[in-house]
Amino acid sequence: MSGRQGGKLKPLKSKKKSQADLDPEEAAFKEKQRADQAAKKALLENMKGGKNLVSGGIKKSGKK
């Protein structure tokens, strides 16, 4: 075979960031994502349980 290489060269792999390397902005973003995920999971559990998604509001009576 010839010594030619076709196409792009693959970039070198960079090391993963450790938890100590995260800046406060990234940490806050990840915490917000975890909170959103927990809220979504709780909402799905309520839907499966048959509970109302929205509580309160105007209730209609059967009278006309």
Side-chain angles (χ1 to χ4, degrees):
M1 295 213 134
S2 64
R4 290 188 341 179
Q5 290 181 340
K8 287 186 175 181
L9 293 176
K10 293 184 179 179
L12 296 175
K13 292 184 179 179
S14 60
K15 293 183 179 180
K16 292 184 180 180
K17 288 185 178 181
S18 66
Q19 291 295 334
D21 292 345
L22 296 177
D23 61 7
E25 186 176 308
E26 288 181 24
F29 177 71
K30 288 192 180 232
E31 184 62 33
K32 183 178 182 291
Q33 281 185 327
R34 282 190 212 110
D36 289 345
Q37 187 67 24
K40 187 176 180 181
K41 185 176 180 181
L43 179 67
L44 289 175
E45 289 297 321
N46 285 343
M47 286 174 58
K48 288 180 183 176
K51 294 182 181 177
N52 291 337
L53 297 179
V54 179
S55 61
I58 299 173
K59 296 187 178 180
K60 295 182 181 178
S61 64
K63 298 178 184 177
K64 289 194 176 189

